Structure formats: structure tokens, C-alpha cells
Amino acid sequence: MTADLANELRNAGFRGEILREEPLAGHTTWRIGGPAEALATPVDREDLALAVRFAAEGGRPWRVLGNGSNLLVRDGGVRGIVVRPRRALAEVRVDRCRIEAGAGAALPAVASLAAERGLAGLEFAAGIPGTIGGAVVTNAGWHEHEIAAVVESVEFLEPGGSVRRIPSGECGFGYRRSALRGLPGIVLGAALVLRQDDPAAVRERLGAFAASRRGSQPTDFPSCGSVFRNPPGDFAGRLIDRAGLKGLRVGDIEVSRRHANFLVNLGRGSARDVLALVEIVEREVRDRFGVELVREFELW
Ligand SMILES: Cc1cc2nc3c(=O)[nH]c(=O)nc-3n(C[C@H](O)[C@H](O)[C@H](O)COP(=O)(O)OP(=O)(O)OC[C@H]3O[C@@H](n4cnc5c(N)ncnc54)[C@H](O)[C@@H]3O)c2cc1C
């Protein structure tokens, strides 16, 4: 029962905002998704830990929402608590070549701050609209660059309340994945170690990454970025384009005419439309090229 869950969380001492039956369409970059039974935004780390402990101890379903830029939320929404740690974990500290970034900080903002300080290694992140938490969990990257290359360690909150530092080597980073995704708990932040460089050169590279993205990706309609992982030695977008699927549409979801690995929301697209189009694309690419595309977004 919606009101009960929100009330129980409040009665347990949660101080932050709790929105009942909040449509997640407003919290995802695809602008799609039904309601969260309770969307909880903690005010600080203690509040965050309380929400997670409350959910875990009561055996209630719970999830973590970053910027919702790698998610497809079903039209029926999700039960349980969706914790949004953005505000509670927004702090970023720079100490010479080292950046301690809270999981709620915006990845592009951290990349810009690094550039201002002449710190190299995060330029690829210009235009990846995730949080540090989401970026670490998904090992966000662009071509041969990925965040794993600059992560020294990750600070991780376990549901019971203990906090541990996980060294980069134990995070299980791979192409757009990490072992952190399967762990119960929340990434509180990451220590990133960058390289000192000329600030003007770093800024220039940051601008070049942003420009190359603007030149190749659709930025005028909501999306989740790339829908499929690139298969080994190839590009999902090239295969979808070669299959003649650009412009194919289900409801208000369209295979972008600009970049075939983007399924854009033309306005009133639903999760059902996205999944129907995804299945068509998968089938066509399998039938024509014998390649099984793997989905990059997470389905809630
Ligand atoms: C226009 C566009 C372009 C994009 N380009 C790229 C690109 O070039 N490269 C790329 O890799 N991605 C790209 N993406 C996808 C997306 O931005 C990244 O995957 C990003 O890292 C997701 O971060 P998020 O905060 O939005 O995570 P969300 O989508 O909110 O969540 C993703 C997963 O991370 C988990 N999570 C989030 N925060 C935490 C936390 N603090 N602790 C534990 N788990 C957490 C969630 O529970 C979920 O499992 C693009 C997306 C868009 C819309």
C-alpha cells in the first residue's frame, strides 16, 4: 500500500523528500516510465543509510536511481522504494591529481571541473549524462575510453550500514559493466586519479569530444543513448543501419535517422513501444547478419 510504505519510511526517521506514486518518466532521459511506489530523496548520507537499512531489513524491494540515463522503466512502474541519492552525495573534492567525487555528482560536471584544473583522463565523459554512481556501475565509456581507467577505488555502502572501499581491481570492470551492479548496496562515491596536463589542452579535448558527439548523435529527442552494446569488432549502429531500419517506428519510438543505435522518443513513447521496436531490431539484425545484439539499457 503506497501511503503505508511512505509513512513507514517517514516513521522510521527518514528526513528527506518522499514522493508517492511518482511517475519515473520525469526522472529518466527517455522520458518514459510508470510510477515508483515511493521515490525517496535523502538529505544526507545518514538519511540515505537509513532508507537502505529500512528497505533491506524489512525485506522491501528497493533500487537506486542515478540520472536515469541508462534505464527503461516499464509503463506499470515499480513497487517498493526508489532511492535517489543525487543531493546527498553531490560533493566533489579535488586534491592535486585526485578527485573524490560523490556518486550523485554529474559526470559531465566532474569532467569540466577536471579540465579547469588541467587534469586529463575524463575528457571522453563530456556529454554522457549520468551521475558518478551510474557511470561507475555501468563503466561508462566512449570508444576506447572508459571510467574504469581512472577509478582508483569506490566507496560502497552495504545495506547493514557498513561502508567499505573497493579497490578498482576488485570492481570487476568490463565493457559497460562492473561487478558492482550485482552487489546489494549503494556506491557512495569514487576516487579518481587523473594526469596533470595543460588546462587549455584538456579543455580543447573536452570540447572535441562534445562536438564529435553532437555531430553524430541525436540530441533533439529523449533517449537512453546507445540501446545495444557494440558486438566484438563491429558497431551495433552500423548493423541496424545496414538492415535498413533507420526511421522505423513503433508508436512514438523511432530508430533515429541520425544514429541507428539510438531509439528516440518523439513525444508520447511508452516502454511497451520501446520493447516492441527493440525486438524487431534484434530479430532483423539476427536474421540478416547472424549477430545477437545485447541490450545496453537496464529494464525496471
Ligand atoms: C544522450 C545519451 C548519451 C549517452 N552516451 C553514453 C556514452 O557515450 N557512453 C556510455 O557509457 N553511456 C552513455 N549513455 C548512457 C548513460 O548516460 C550511462 O550509462 C550513465 O553512466 C548512467 O548513469 P545514471 O546516473 O544515469 O544511471 P541510471 O541510469 O540512473 O542507473 C543505471 C544503473 O546504475 C545504478 N546506479 C546508479 N547510481 C548508483 C549508485 N550510486 N549506487 C549503485 N548503483 C547505482 C542503477 O541502479 C542502475 O542499475 C548515454 C545516455 C544518453 C541519454
Side-chain angles (χ1 to χ4, degrees):
M1 300 291 287
T2 304
D4 291 344
L5 181 58
N7 284 343
E8 279 175 33
L9 179 57
R10 181 67 75 211
N11 291 339
F14 186 75
R15 290 170 285 129
E17 181 185 64
I18 309 174
L19 298 174
R20 296 183 170 90
E21 297 299 333
E22 170 70 3
L24 290 177
H27 302 275
T28 64
T29 56
W30 233 333
R31 297 282 172 252
I32 290 172
E37 186 173 3
L39 178 62
T41 306
V43 289
D44 54 26
R45 280 179 168 227
E46 288 69 37
D47 216 21
L48 171 68
L50 184 146
V52 174
R53 204 170 46 244
F54 166 83
E57 284 177 357
R60 301 166 178 96
W62 67 280
R63 302 156 190 268
V64 194
L65 177 68
N67 195 38
S69 63
N70 197 40
L71 296 178
L72 178 65
V73 180
R74 286 190 177 86
D75 303 315
V78 292
R79 299 291 82 197
I81 302 175
V82 174
V83 181
R84 186 172 49 160
R86 292 207 65 168
R87 269 178 243 160
L89 302 175
E91 199 183 337
V92 180
R93 286 194 310 271
V94 185
D95 180 15
R96 281 170 286 182
C97 287
R98 193 183 154 91
I99 299 184
E100 283 277 352
L107 177 63
V110 176
S112 296
L113 176 67
E116 268 169 38
R117 304 288 177 95
L119 297 175
L122 264 190
E123 297 90 310
F124 73 88
I128 301 182
T131 58
I132 288 289
V136 167
V137 166
T138 63
N139 188 16
W142 173 250
H143 295 274
E144 72 275 25
H145 306 278
E146 54 186 26
I147 196 160
V150 297
V151 172
E152 183 191 64
S153 64
V154 169
E155 195 182 11
F156 194 78
L157 170 75
E158 288 171 343
S162 50
V163 174
R164 64 185 175 117
R165 279 251 162 217
I166 307 178
S168 183
E170 292 173 21
C171 290
F173 288 123
Y175 171 55
R176 300 293 178 274
R177 67 182 160 77
S178 77
L180 302 166
R181 205 170 204 156
L183 290 183
I186 288 191
V187 172
L188 294 174
L192 310 175
V193 176
L194 305 182
R195 247 179 16 260
Q196 197 70 53
D197 197 350
D198 171 25
V202 184
R203 274 198 303 271
E204 195 179 319
R205 287 197 296 272
L206 190 79
F209 275 105
S212 125
R213 195 176 275 281
R214 279 194 302 273
S216 63
Q217 298 182 348
T219 49
D220 38 358
F221 290 106
S223 76
C224 77
S226 295
V227 168
F228 300 103
R229 293 166 189 215
N230 286 325
D234 208 335
F235 293 96
R238 189 193 76 85
L239 294 171
I240 300 167
D241 188 7
R242 287 283 304 282
L245 300 175
K246 273 187 171 173
L248 184 69
R249 199 167 153 179
V250 172
D252 256 1
I253 303 294
E254 184 178 85
V255 178
S256 167
R257 292 161 199 272
R258 187 131 192 225
H259 191 311
N261 199 14
F262 279 57
L263 301 191
V264 292
N265 182 357
L266 302 179
R268 293 167 176 271
S270 63
R272 195 187 158 103
D273 295 339
V274 171
L275 291 172
L277 192 52
V278 161
E279 281 170 19
I280 296 173
V281 170
E282 287 170 344
R283 193 175 59 237
E284 290 291 319
V285 168
R286 185 187 313 119
D287 289 353
R288 286 173 193 237
F289 308 111
V291 174
E292 289 289 345
L293 290 176
V294 177
R295 300 175 190 183
E296 189 167 316
F297 62 87
E298 185 174 315
L299 183 62
W300 277 16

